[in-house]
Structures are given as structure tokens and as C-alpha cells.
Amino acid sequence: MNIYWDSFKTFFKIGIFTLGGGYAMIPLIEEEVVNRKQWVSKDEMLDLIAIAQSCPGVFAINIATFIGYKLRKTRGAICTTLGTALPSFLIILAIAIFFSQFKENKIVAAIFRGIRPAVVALIAVPTFRLGQRAKLNRYTVWIPLVCAIAIWALGVSPIYIILVAGLAGYLYGMYIKPTES
């Protein structure tokens, strides 16, 4: 029973102290589940991030669910998922209840303006770390750049990017990688 409570508490803490969504949670999740608790390895974390991004649904909840499932199957997945989702739910509920009372408050507006740049940094840091772990180099750095430009500037659906990347990875692994050895 202790692992269930511990996993719920861990992901609740991550959920309550993270602004900026799932990508901003990556450094906290990594610190807790890879470095402190050692529930998953760094390589497993990288794989979980890739899988969580590829699955439909909320990124942070996907990754929490996968980690919980790895720990204790379905019950573990339920604990980590609830731990991740509950703080956001409670915060949004509180905001909905009290929104009309503080929506015009200049202090609250200033706080949110100050939080925005920090959220950008919270998302940028895991992006660079993922690039390092994915072993990007001068020959492969063009791949995420072209994908980002295709999505941002050309309006290409991320689904197409994922499908093409999966096919390219498969072909690389089947035909090119074995000949490099």
C-alpha cells in the first residue's frame, strides 16, 4: 500500500507545483522518478516521453499513467494518474468559483504576466535535455528543426509528422542501421 500512496503523493506534488502544462512537468518528473526514487532509468524516461507524446490525451497524465503502470500495473496507473490530474482539477475548480471576484485585479494580472516567461523557460529546458539524450548532432539536428517549421509555419498536422517519423525510424532500423555495424 505504501508504494501506491508514495506514487500518488509524488505526482500530486509535481502536479501542484508545475505551471505551464505537461512539458513544464518533465524536469520535475525526471528529478523525482529518475534521480530521487529511481523508478525508471534515464533511457526509460526518454522512451516514456516519446510514447506519451505519441498517444492521445494529456501529455503529463500519459507519462504518469505509464510510470504508475510500470510500478504496480493498473492500480499504480490509477494512483499516479489521479495524483497528476487532481491538483489541476482543484485549482481550476477554485478559479471557476472565485474568478469573477479577481478577474479585474491588477495584481493578479501582473502575476500572470510575470509567470508567462518562466513557463517558456520551463518548457525550453526539457526540450534541450531531450535533444541531448536523443543524441542529436550536427547531422541530425535538422530533423526536429524541419518538423517544428513544418508544424509552425506550414501548418502540417503533428499526426503526419509522427507517422512519417515512425516510418523513417522503422526504415532506418531495418535497412540502414544494420549495415553501419
Side-chain angles (χ1 to χ4, degrees), residues 63-146:
I63 203 162
T65 303
F66 293 140
I67 291 170
Y69 190 82
K70 181 184 184 297
L71 291 175
R72 289 285 191 257
K73 303 294 180 210
T74 303
R75 289 183 181 172
I78 291 169
C79 289
T80 55
T81 301
L82 286 174
T84 304
L86 198 56
S88 297
F89 173 77
L90 295 174
I91 290 168
I92 294 299
L93 182 62
I95 288 172
I97 291 170
F98 299 109
F99 182 71
S100 63
Q101 295 174 4
F102 68 85
K103 69 180 179 182
E104 300 298 327
N105 186 317
K106 291 180 181 180
I107 295 171
V108 171
I111 289 171
F112 280 111
R113 278 194 306 276
I115 288 173
R116 286 183 192 141
V119 170
V120 171
L122 287 171
I123 294 170
V125 169
T127 301
F128 290 118
R129 285 187 185 160
L130 286 173
Q132 289 172 333
R133 281 197 213 116
K135 297 179 175 82
L136 287 179
N137 57 40
R138 64 184 175 165
Y139 302 110
T140 59
V141 74
W142 65 270
I143 298 169
L145 292 175
V146 167

Side-chain angles (χ1 to χ4, degrees), residues 38-52:
Q38 297 180 346
W39 288 339
V40 296
S41 70
K42 285 186 178 190
D43 287 339
E44 286 175 312
M45 183 69 182
L46 185 61
D47 291 341
L48 288 173
I49 290 169
I51 293 167

Side-chain angles (χ1 to χ4, degrees), residues 145-157 161:
L145 292 175
V146 167
C147 292
I149 291 169
I151 292 168
W152 175 66
L154 303 177
V156 175
S157 172
I161 301 290

